[in-house]
Every structure is written in C-alpha cells, then in structure tokens.
Amino acid sequence: MAAALPVFAGLAMAGTALNAYGQIEAGQMQAKVASRNAEFAEANAHQVDLATDDKIEQLVRHTSITVGKQRAGYAKSGVKLEGSPLEVLTETVNLADKDAFRISQDGKFQADSLRYQAAEERQKATFAKRSSFIGAGTTLLSGFGQTALAAQLGKSPGLMGRTVMS
C-alpha cells in the first residue's frame, strides 16, 4: 500500500489541477458573457440615441407643417398674425418644444441606463476573471496541501505504532 501512495498523491494533485483549470475556464467564460452583454447594452444605448434624434426630427417636421398650415389658414381667411392667432402659433411651438425636451430626456435616461448596465457587465467580467484565478489558486493550495498532509500522515506512525496507510 505504501508503494501506491505516490500514485494516489499524483492522482490527487492531477485532480486538484484539473479542478483549478475548470475554475479558470468557467471564470473566463463568465467574463466573455459579461463582456458580450456590455457590448449589447452599449449598442442598444446607441440605438436609443439614434431613435431619440429621429423622434425629435419627426416632431420638428410635424410642428413646422402644423405651424405652416395654421399660418396658411389664417392668411386664407384674412386674419392678421397678431393677438390670439399669434398666441396660437406661439403655443403650438411652445408645446412642441416641451415635447422635444421630454423626448430628449426620456431618450437620455434610457441610453444612460443602458450605459450603466454596460459598465456593470464590464465590472462583472473583471470580477469573474479575477475570482476564477483566486478560486483556482485556493483550490491548488488547499489540494496540494491536503495531498502533502495525507502523504506525510501515510508515512508517519499512527495509533499504537501502526502506520495509517498500511
């Protein structure tokens, strides 16, 4: 049985090393997934920026057309652009400005939220890499330490003068 001790120790060390390798690989895969999620969140934030700009452009065009129709209607009916008619035009533009601001703020909030999510995912990737190496190191140290201790105990006299592994 004492001759088998180096074989068992070698198997234990190989198992420990394989376990450590598995921890590193799992951490690297988690890091890749988190990095990919960060890329998707950034891409989505960019899409929100583009969509927000598009919505504002559409609103500007629509407001311009509406104001033009209002002016044309007033001109056709002979109404001068003063007093109430002018207030109506001004109110139309003011409401459009408020809508544009709301659209802009909503888009900024959505995009910032996605960018924050991307930053979190990058942080997760960094942590996954780091923790995989720490976990693997811990596994190696404890596994090799236990193997060495078991090997030492197998060679040392046990209870009542017998060896533990005999």
Side-chain angles (χ1 to χ4, degrees), residues 67 70-71 74 79-95:
V67 168
Q70 288 172 333
R71 284 177 184 246
Y74 290 145
V79 175
K80 292 184 179 182
L81 289 179
E82 54 188 34
S84 294
L86 185 58
E87 286 179 20
V88 169
L89 289 174
T90 303
E91 185 64 19
T92 301
V93 171
N94 286 341
L95 289 173

Side-chain angles (χ1 to χ4, degrees), residues 4-164:
L5 188 59
V7 173
F8 292 142
L11 288 173
M13 289 171 58
T16 298
L18 191 58
N19 187 4
Y21 176 76
Q23 287 176 318
I24 291 172
E25 285 298 307
Q28 297 303 311
M29 183 54 71
Q30 288 174 346
K32 283 180 185 177
V33 169
S35 293
R36 192 67 146 162
N37 287 343
E39 290 173 15
F40 286 138
E42 282 289 343
N44 287 338
H46 181 67
Q47 288 295 52
V48 167
D49 287 338
L50 294 176
T52 299
D53 290 345
D54 189 47
K55 286 178 186 176
I56 291 173
E57 275 185 42
Q58 288 175 7
L59 177 65
V60 167
R61 268 187 256 125
H62 177 72
T63 302
S64 179
I65 291 169
T66 301
V67 168
K69 286 180 179 179
Q70 288 172 333
R71 284 177 184 246
Y74 290 145
K76 184 178 180 182
S77 61
V79 175
K80 292 184 179 182
L81 289 179
E82 54 188 34
S84 294
L86 185 58
E87 286 179 20
V88 169
L89 289 174
T90 303
E91 185 64 19
T92 301
V93 171
N94 286 341
L95 289 173
D97 285 345
K98 287 179 184 178
D99 286 344
F101 180 75
R102 181 189 47 77
I103 290 168
S104 174
Q105 289 302 104
D106 287 349
K108 182 180 178 336
F109 176 76
Q110 288 176 12
D112 286 350
S113 197
L114 287 164
R115 287 185 180 98
Y116 178 78
Q117 180 183 347
E120 274 187 334
E121 291 296 330
R122 281 190 209 91
Q123 198 171 31
K124 284 180 188 177
T126 300
F127 180 74
K129 285 180 184 178
R130 188 176 302 140
S131 66
S132 72
F133 287 113
I134 291 170
T138 302
T139 296
L140 288 171
L141 290 174
S142 64
F144 291 158
Q146 289 174 357
T147 302
L149 181 62
Q152 185 62 34
L153 288 175
K155 294 178 184 176
S156 300
L159 297 174
M160 294 184 228
R162 298 185 325 180
T163 59
V164 176

